[in-house]
Amino acid sequence: MKFSFPLMALGLEVTMIVLFALFVEYEMDPIVIKQTNATKLPKSERFLQLYPLFQDVHVMIFVGFGFLMTFLKKYGFSSVGINLFVAALGLQWGIIVQGILHSRGQKIQIGIKSMINADFSTATVLISFGAVLGKTSPIQMLVMTILEIAAFAGNEYLVGEIFQASDIGASMTIHAFGAYFGLAVAGILYRSGLRKRHKNEESVYYSDLFAMIGTLFLWIFWPSFNSAIAEPGNKQNRAAIHTYLSLAACVLTAYAFSSLVTHRGKLNMVHIQNATLAGGVAVGTCADMDIGPFVAMIIGSTAGVVSVLGYKFLTVYHSHAGSGPGFFHWNSSCWRSSYRFNSKDTYLGTAI
């Protein structure tokens, strides 16, 4: 570990530098013939227009996801620290692999949209990271990042370019894909010899408090996440508005049902940290469509209810004699696992 991790990290960074030197160039404005009725913005102006949205997404990746994973009492440093490390590698690799698929044999052009999409690709790994927090070494996380982002890029190209599916908020290509990928990794790492709950598999007051900080950052900036790459104009406006309303409605129902299903009407911090984000995930696929504000609120309300009830009641049992996790619970926008150290009880991070 003393030498293998530094050598592997340095080797990957040198590889990234070489790949960028050979295949990546700046995105340049084409020669634009000025017309009085021209409505399309030059790329330089588009960069400045999208940069605030990129900043919001960047905060979600490095602060939101990082602090959301601090719920385990012994792994606060790992969650925030490895989150930074994985995201820094992932955004570089994401630019390369997504650029290869979309450049059609030309050099990869880096601009504001490719930066946003690179951040999106890292979100997939960070969602999966929640399923294996406390179980994987930094070297394993390096390997997982490289493999998952490559798989994500192929899946995103298949969904968006081949199937032409609408997924402006990437609910399918990021959240669902990241959740299932993390489940698969947790299944591979499962050790049947471990049966009892590990002493470090619990949260304390301050760990839940820090995790709530991550929730707040994600909740605040989620409208930017869902609208960042939407078509400018009405579609982008609708994506932000629908996400805003869906999240707000989701919070009310998540709190209400958390109190309803918890002993003596108390609020469960797991519900508050995760189910309150389910509205942003649920509305992501149709966020830019003309569905009406009230429909977005219905979607968010339903997502909050389903997330809390799923966490509380929905259990799919599998035999212990196998390589995969034994019990699965559906939760909201990220993974949580009870018995993380033997992957026996995993909460899957999707909105439905």
PDB file of all heavy atoms in Angstrom, residues 328-343:
ATOM      1  N   PHE A 328     -32.174  -6.188   0.436  1.00  0.00           N
ATOM      2  CA  PHE A 328     -32.072  -4.910  -0.261  1.00  0.00           C
ATOM      3  C   PHE A 328     -33.260  -4.034   0.104  1.00  0.00           C
ATOM      4  O   PHE A 328     -34.387  -4.481   0.116  1.00  0.00           O
ATOM      5  CB  PHE A 328     -32.066  -5.132  -1.782  1.00  0.00           C
ATOM      6  CG  PHE A 328     -30.989  -6.047  -2.238  1.00  0.00           C
ATOM      7  CD1 PHE A 328     -31.290  -7.338  -2.605  1.00  0.00           C
ATOM      8  CD2 PHE A 328     -29.679  -5.629  -2.261  1.00  0.00           C
ATOM      9  CE1 PHE A 328     -30.300  -8.201  -3.010  1.00  0.00           C
ATOM     10  CE2 PHE A 328     -28.694  -6.479  -2.661  1.00  0.00           C
ATOM     11  CZ  PHE A 328     -28.988  -7.775  -3.046  1.00  0.00           C
ATOM     12  N   HIS A 329     -32.936  -2.786   0.417  1.00  0.00           N
ATOM     13  CA  HIS A 329     -33.980  -1.810   0.717  1.00  0.00           C
ATOM     14  C   HIS A 329     -33.842  -0.660  -0.279  1.00  0.00           C
ATOM     15  O   HIS A 329     -32.747  -0.216  -0.578  1.00  0.00           O
ATOM     16  CB  HIS A 329     -33.816  -1.244   2.129  1.00  0.00           C
ATOM     17  CG  HIS A 329     -34.044  -2.244   3.198  1.00  0.00           C
ATOM     18  ND1 HIS A 329     -35.215  -2.335   3.902  1.00  0.00           N
ATOM     19  CD2 HIS A 329     -33.241  -3.216   3.686  1.00  0.00           C
ATOM     20  CE1 HIS A 329     -35.130  -3.312   4.781  1.00  0.00           C
ATOM     21  NE2 HIS A 329     -33.938  -3.852   4.669  1.00  0.00           N
ATOM     22  N   TRP A 330     -34.964  -0.194  -0.781  1.00  0.00           N
ATOM     23  CA  TRP A 330     -34.943   0.957  -1.702  1.00  0.00           C
ATOM     24  C   TRP A 330     -35.029   2.235  -0.887  1.00  0.00           C
ATOM     25  O   TRP A 330     -35.880   2.380  -0.048  1.00  0.00           O
ATOM     26  CB  TRP A 330     -36.137   0.885  -2.643  1.00  0.00           C
ATOM     27  CG  TRP A 330     -36.059  -0.279  -3.544  1.00  0.00           C
ATOM     28  CD1 TRP A 330     -36.416  -1.570  -3.254  1.00  0.00           C
ATOM     29  CD2 TRP A 330     -35.580  -0.302  -4.872  1.00  0.00           C
ATOM     30  NE1 TRP A 330     -36.186  -2.373  -4.316  1.00  0.00           N
ATOM     31  CE2 TRP A 330     -35.681  -1.634  -5.334  1.00  0.00           C
ATOM     32  CE3 TRP A 330     -35.077   0.680  -5.737  1.00  0.00           C
ATOM     33  CZ2 TRP A 330     -35.297  -2.009  -6.602  1.00  0.00           C
ATOM     34  CZ3 TRP A 330     -34.701   0.302  -7.002  1.00  0.00           C
ATOM     35  CH2 TRP A 330     -34.807  -1.019  -7.417  1.00  0.00           C
ATOM     36  N   ASN A 331     -34.135   3.177  -1.208  1.00  0.00           N
ATOM     37  CA  ASN A 331     -34.175   4.458  -0.531  1.00  0.00           C
ATOM     38  C   ASN A 331     -34.189   5.558  -1.576  1.00  0.00           C
ATOM     39  O   ASN A 331     -34.704   5.370  -2.663  1.00  0.00           O
ATOM     40  CB  ASN A 331     -32.982   4.577   0.431  1.00  0.00           C
ATOM     41  CG  ASN A 331     -33.183   5.664   1.462  1.00  0.00           C
ATOM     42  OD1 ASN A 331     -34.285   6.126   1.641  1.00  0.00           O
ATOM     43  ND2 ASN A 331     -32.133   6.057   2.106  1.00  0.00           N
ATOM     44  N   SER A 332     -33.581   6.709  -1.325  1.00  0.00           N
ATOM     45  CA  SER A 332     -33.747   7.831  -2.241  1.00  0.00           C
ATOM     46  C   SER A 332     -32.532   8.027  -3.118  1.00  0.00           C
ATOM     47  O   SER A 332     -32.131   7.144  -3.845  1.00  0.00           O
ATOM     48  CB  SER A 332     -34.043   9.095  -1.452  1.00  0.00           C
ATOM     49  OG  SER A 332     -33.000   9.397  -0.562  1.00  0.00           O
ATOM     50  N   SER A 333     -31.892   9.179  -3.051  1.00  0.00           N
ATOM     51  CA  SER A 333     -30.951   9.560  -4.090  1.00  0.00           C
ATOM     52  C   SER A 333     -29.539   9.093  -3.842  1.00  0.00           C
ATOM     53  O   SER A 333     -28.658   9.443  -4.590  1.00  0.00           O
ATOM     54  CB  SER A 333     -30.942  11.081  -4.214  1.00  0.00           C
ATOM     55  OG  SER A 333     -30.516  11.640  -2.997  1.00  0.00           O
ATOM     56  N   CYS A 334     -29.281   8.372  -2.804  1.00  0.00           N
ATOM     57  CA  CYS A 334     -27.935   7.858  -2.607  1.00  0.00           C
ATOM     58  C   CYS A 334     -28.014   6.534  -1.881  1.00  0.00           C
ATOM     59  O   CYS A 334     -29.066   6.106  -1.480  1.00  0.00           O
ATOM     60  CB  CYS A 334     -27.072   8.827  -1.811  1.00  0.00           C
ATOM     61  SG  CYS A 334     -27.541   8.920  -0.098  1.00  0.00           S
ATOM     62  N   TRP A 335     -26.893   5.882  -1.752  1.00  0.00           N
ATOM     63  CA  TRP A 335     -26.848   4.577  -1.092  1.00  0.00           C
ATOM     64  C   TRP A 335     -26.629   4.738   0.394  1.00  0.00           C
ATOM     65  O   TRP A 335     -25.881   5.573   0.835  1.00  0.00           O
ATOM     66  CB  TRP A 335     -25.672   3.774  -1.622  1.00  0.00           C
ATOM     67  CG  TRP A 335     -25.829   3.283  -2.976  1.00  0.00           C
ATOM     68  CD1 TRP A 335     -25.773   4.000  -4.127  1.00  0.00           C
ATOM     69  CD2 TRP A 335     -26.041   1.935  -3.362  1.00  0.00           C
ATOM     70  NE1 TRP A 335     -25.939   3.193  -5.184  1.00  0.00           N
ATOM     71  CE2 TRP A 335     -26.092   1.924  -4.752  1.00  0.00           C
ATOM     72  CE3 TRP A 335     -26.182   0.752  -2.654  1.00  0.00           C
ATOM     73  CZ2 TRP A 335     -26.284   0.758  -5.458  1.00  0.00           C
ATOM     74  CZ3 TRP A 335     -26.358  -0.412  -3.362  1.00  0.00           C
ATOM     75  CH2 TRP A 335     -26.414  -0.391  -4.754  1.00  0.00           C
ATOM     76  N   ARG A 336     -27.270   3.871   1.160  1.00  0.00           N
ATOM     77  CA  ARG A 336     -26.865   3.666   2.545  1.00  0.00           C
ATOM     78  C   ARG A 336     -26.900   2.178   2.788  1.00  0.00           C
ATOM     79  O   ARG A 336     -27.774   1.486   2.294  1.00  0.00           O
ATOM     80  CB  ARG A 336     -27.794   4.367   3.525  1.00  0.00           C
ATOM     81  CG  ARG A 336     -27.629   5.849   3.498  1.00  0.00           C
ATOM     82  CD  ARG A 336     -28.262   6.489   4.687  1.00  0.00           C
ATOM     83  NE  ARG A 336     -27.546   6.152   5.908  1.00  0.00           N
ATOM     84  CZ  ARG A 336     -27.493   6.958   6.951  1.00  0.00           C
ATOM     85  NH1 ARG A 336     -28.080   8.119   6.911  1.00  0.00           N
ATOM     86  NH2 ARG A 336     -26.856   6.608   8.031  1.00  0.00           N
ATOM     87  N   SER A 337     -25.985   1.671   3.542  1.00  0.00           N
ATOM     88  CA  SER A 337     -26.034   0.250   3.835  1.00  0.00           C
ATOM     89  C   SER A 337     -25.928   0.005   5.317  1.00  0.00           C
ATOM     90  O   SER A 337     -25.119   0.589   6.007  1.00  0.00           O
ATOM     91  CB  SER A 337     -24.912  -0.497   3.129  1.00  0.00           C
ATOM     92  OG  SER A 337     -23.677  -0.218   3.728  1.00  0.00           O
ATOM     93  N   SER A 338     -26.828  -0.846   5.805  1.00  0.00           N
ATOM     94  CA  SER A 338     -26.726  -1.373   7.147  1.00  0.00           C
ATOM     95  C   SER A 338     -26.026  -2.714   7.003  1.00  0.00           C
ATOM     96  O   SER A 338     -26.375  -3.490   6.134  1.00  0.00           O
ATOM     97  CB  SER A 338     -28.119  -1.549   7.738  1.00  0.00           C
ATOM     98  OG  SER A 338     -28.068  -2.160   8.981  1.00  0.00           O
ATOM     99  N   TYR A 339     -25.071  -2.995   7.821  1.00  0.00           N
ATOM    100  CA  TYR A 339     -24.166  -4.123   7.625  1.00  0.00           C
ATOM    101  C   TYR A 339     -23.310  -3.902   6.379  1.00  0.00           C
ATOM    102  O   TYR A 339     -23.147  -4.790   5.557  1.00  0.00           O
ATOM    103  CB  TYR A 339     -24.910  -5.458   7.497  1.00  0.00           C
ATOM    104  CG  TYR A 339     -25.777  -5.788   8.651  1.00  0.00           C
ATOM    105  CD1 TYR A 339     -27.156  -5.703   8.540  1.00  0.00           C
ATOM    106  CD2 TYR A 339     -25.229  -6.155   9.877  1.00  0.00           C
ATOM    107  CE1 TYR A 339     -27.967  -5.991   9.608  1.00  0.00           C
ATOM    108  CE2 TYR A 339     -26.041  -6.448  10.954  1.00  0.00           C
ATOM    109  CZ  TYR A 339     -27.403  -6.369  10.817  1.00  0.00           C
ATOM    110  OH  TYR A 339     -28.214  -6.652  11.858  1.00  0.00           O
ATOM    111  N   ARG A 340     -22.778  -2.698   6.239  1.00  0.00           N
ATOM    112  CA  ARG A 340     -21.952  -2.385   5.080  1.00  0.00           C
ATOM    113  C   ARG A 340     -20.731  -3.296   4.996  1.00  0.00           C
ATOM    114  O   ARG A 340     -20.245  -3.618   3.927  1.00  0.00           O
ATOM    115  CB  ARG A 340     -21.501  -0.921   5.170  1.00  0.00           C
ATOM    116  CG  ARG A 340     -20.656  -0.442   4.017  1.00  0.00           C
ATOM    117  CD  ARG A 340     -20.288   1.008   4.221  1.00  0.00           C
ATOM    118  NE  ARG A 340     -21.453   1.771   4.601  1.00  0.00           N
ATOM    119  CZ  ARG A 340     -22.340   2.226   3.743  1.00  0.00           C
ATOM    120  NH1 ARG A 340     -22.196   1.986   2.471  1.00  0.00           N
ATOM    121  NH2 ARG A 340     -23.373   2.901   4.165  1.00  0.00           N
ATOM    122  N   PHE A 341     -20.221  -3.738   6.133  1.00  0.00           N
ATOM    123  CA  PHE A 341     -18.972  -4.461   6.125  1.00  0.00           C
ATOM    124  C   PHE A 341     -19.122  -5.888   5.608  1.00  0.00           C
ATOM    125  O   PHE A 341     -18.159  -6.512   5.260  1.00  0.00           O
ATOM    126  CB  PHE A 341     -18.359  -4.468   7.533  1.00  0.00           C
ATOM    127  CG  PHE A 341     -17.908  -3.104   7.940  1.00  0.00           C
ATOM    128  CD1 PHE A 341     -18.789  -2.202   8.507  1.00  0.00           C
ATOM    129  CD2 PHE A 341     -16.612  -2.694   7.711  1.00  0.00           C
ATOM    130  CE1 PHE A 341     -18.384  -0.929   8.856  1.00  0.00           C
ATOM    131  CE2 PHE A 341     -16.202  -1.426   8.063  1.00  0.00           C
ATOM    132  CZ  PHE A 341     -17.087  -0.540   8.634  1.00  0.00           C
ATOM    133  N   ASN A 342     -20.331  -6.421   5.574  1.00  0.00           N
ATOM    134  CA  ASN A 342     -20.513  -7.711   4.919  1.00  0.00           C
ATOM    135  C   ASN A 342     -21.557  -7.628   3.807  1.00  0.00           C
ATOM    136  O   ASN A 342     -21.999  -8.642   3.288  1.00  0.00           O
ATOM    137  CB  ASN A 342     -20.912  -8.803   5.918  1.00  0.00           C
ATOM    138  CG  ASN A 342     -22.227  -8.493   6.599  1.00  0.00           C
ATOM    139  OD1 ASN A 342     -22.792  -7.425   6.399  1.00  0.00           O
ATOM    140  ND2 ASN A 342     -22.709  -9.425   7.402  1.00  0.00           N
ATOM    141  N   SER A 343     -21.961  -6.395   3.475  1.00  0.00           N
ATOM    142  CA  SER A 343     -22.899  -6.152   2.381  1.00  0.00           C
ATOM    143  C   SER A 343     -24.175  -6.962   2.527  1.00  0.00           C
ATOM    144  O   SER A 343     -24.747  -7.397   1.553  1.00  0.00           O
ATOM    145  CB  SER A 343     -22.235  -6.467   1.043  1.00  0.00           C
ATOM    146  OG  SER A 343     -21.144  -5.642   0.822  1.00  0.00           O
TER     147      SER A 343
END
